[in-house]
Amino acid sequence: MPSRNNIILIGFMGVGKGSLAREVIKNSSYVAIDTDDLIESMANKKIKKIFEDEGEAHFRELEKDVAFWLEKSVENTLISTGGGFYKVKNLKKIGTVVLLDSPFDAIMKRIKEHPNAANKLKKRPLLSNLKEAKKLYNVRRTEYLELADIVIDVTDKTLEVCSKELLKKVKKYA
Ligand code: S3P
């Protein structure tokens, strides 16, 4: 494990990275931060608005800035990321990479069953076209698996079960 003792959660949009991070910190000494939250604070704008005003390429540059800052400045932290953050070149230098894995249809079902489903879809520009989103999922899943130090299949599991599995696997990996 890189010396800073960070965990980075990667995985497709809507798989539950933020929710799991909030669960894990209840039962561990990690603090949690989220790369999309950091970008929104830096830019003082919502992600959707950054995509609309400056485009996706600019958003990806902001992700790189955040990745650089995380590598230099953060320790003992559980970092949840946006679904495309894994492409930053220094990902593995930031911490142990944990992939939250689930089939595309299960992820979409999870989003649609959420009480705030409309908002979850609205704030994610890359989910506006489901056919394109599925293509993106297929490409990314291979790349996620290549980068992951640890994989957690989250399908049909409670946050509590996933959290225990994560902490156990991270401990073994260290
Ligand atoms: C993106 C995922 C989003 C957000 C942005 C781009 C992606 O985060 O970073 O809309 O490229 O997969 P979530 O994974 O939290 O939805």
Side-chain angles (χ1 to χ4, degrees), residues 11-14 17 36 47 51 56 59-60 63 81-84 123-126 136 140 144:
F12 201 66
M13 288 171 269
K17 292 159 289 185
D36 281 347
I47 305 290
F51 269 68
E56 182 175 347
F59 174 73
R60 300 299 170 201
E63 287 190 317
T81 64
K123 72 174 201 185
R124 294 180 164 99
L126 298 178
L136 186 65
R140 281 192 177 168
Y144 288 150

Side-chain angles (χ1 to χ4, degrees), residues 24-169:
V24 171
I25 59 168
K26 283 195 221 158
N27 306 300
S28 71
S29 56
Y30 289 96
V31 292
I33 53 179
D34 180 89
T35 58
D36 281 347
D37 289 347
L38 290 169
I39 289 172
E40 289 187 344
S41 309
M42 257 168 57
N44 196 22
K45 255 187 207 185
K46 294 285 178 198
I47 305 290
K48 186 170 181 274
K49 189 90 171 80
I50 300 174
F51 269 68
E52 282 166 8
D53 291 354
E54 283 102 5
E56 182 175 347
H58 178 71
F59 174 73
R60 300 299 170 201
E61 289 304 314
L62 297 177
E63 287 190 317
K64 287 182 202 162
D65 294 345
V66 164
F68 181 74
W69 177 78
L70 289 170
E71 183 191 337
K72 299 286 167 240
S73 317
V74 163
E75 54 190 17
N76 304 318
T77 299
L78 177 59
I79 303 159
S80 52
T81 64
F85 186 84
Y86 75 103
K87 282 186 182 283
V88 299
K89 290 212 168 57
N90 62 337
L91 186 80
K92 306 273 285 190
K93 288 191 188 153
I94 302 171
T96 304
V97 179
V98 178
L99 169 64
L100 304 193
D101 191 32
S102 192
F104 182 76
D105 291 343
I107 296 174
M108 288 306 131
K109 186 167 169 266
R110 179 178 182 276
I111 295 179
K112 284 179 189 152
E113 283 173 356
H114 195 277
N116 209 354
N119 191 44
K120 295 232 161 236
L121 284 170
K122 210 172 83 190
K123 72 174 201 185
R124 294 180 164 99
L126 298 178
L127 284 184
S128 59
N129 177 330
L130 271 197
K131 222 172 133 193
E132 288 302 316
K134 176 140 199 195
K135 270 197 225 160
L136 186 65
Y137 172 90
N138 287 332
V139 172
R140 281 192 177 168
R141 183 160 184 271
T142 313
E143 297 176 350
Y144 288 150
L145 285 167
E146 277 166 14
L147 280 166
D149 299 311
I150 292 168
V151 180
I152 299 182
D153 181 354
V154 299
T155 317
D156 295 330
K157 285 185 196 159
T158 63
L159 288 174
E160 200 185 345
V161 167
C162 293
S163 169
K164 283 192 182 138
E165 186 176 332
L166 181 146
L167 289 169
K168 198 167 149 195
K169 286 185 168 169

